[in-house]
Amino acid sequence: RQVSSAAVDASAWPLVLLRWPAGAHDDALVDEALEAVLTLPRRGEPHAILVDARGSEPPTTAELARVLQAARRVGRTRCVAHAVVT
C-alpha cells in the first residue's frame, strides 16, 4: 500500500476509494484530494466514499477546517455513505 499522493479510485462506482499516503499531509496533498472528491457530485448519481487512511497521520485542525469548508461549498450531494478506515 505504498501511496505517495492522495489517490481517488472510482473504478468500482458507485463505491469510491480515497487512499491517503502514510505520514503527514501537506497543503498540496489536501488540495489534490479535495479537488478530486469535489468532482464526484457532478456525476449526479448516488455514491459512497471509503477513505483508506491506514498509516496516515490524523488531519491537523487547519486541514480538517479546509475539508469541512469544501463540503459546505458543495452542499448536499449524492454521497449516501462515507467511512474512514484507520
Side-chain angles (χ1 to χ4, degrees):
R1 183 190 176 276
Q2 194 66 359
V3 180
S4 61
S5 65
V8 177
D9 180 2
S11 64
W13 185 265
L15 177 62
V16 178
L17 179 60
L18 168 60
R19 291 185 181 98
W20 282 104
H25 315 130
D26 60 18
D27 286 344
L29 176 68
V30 174
D31 288 342
E32 174 188 340
L34 286 176
E35 183 178 324
V37 169
L38 291 176
T39 65
L40 298 173
R42 294 183 196 149
R43 291 187 182 205
E45 300 172 341
H47 59 279
I49 299 174
L50 176 60
V51 179
D52 181 355
R54 293 175 291 173
S56 178
E57 291 186 18
T60 65
T61 302
E63 290 168 346
L64 186 55
R66 290 173 58 215
V67 169
L68 293 174
Q69 181 182 33
R72 285 186 196 108
R73 277 197 324 261
V74 171
R76 290 190 69 137
T77 68
R78 301 297 307 252
C79 184
V80 296
H82 180 261
V84 179
V85 178
T86 58

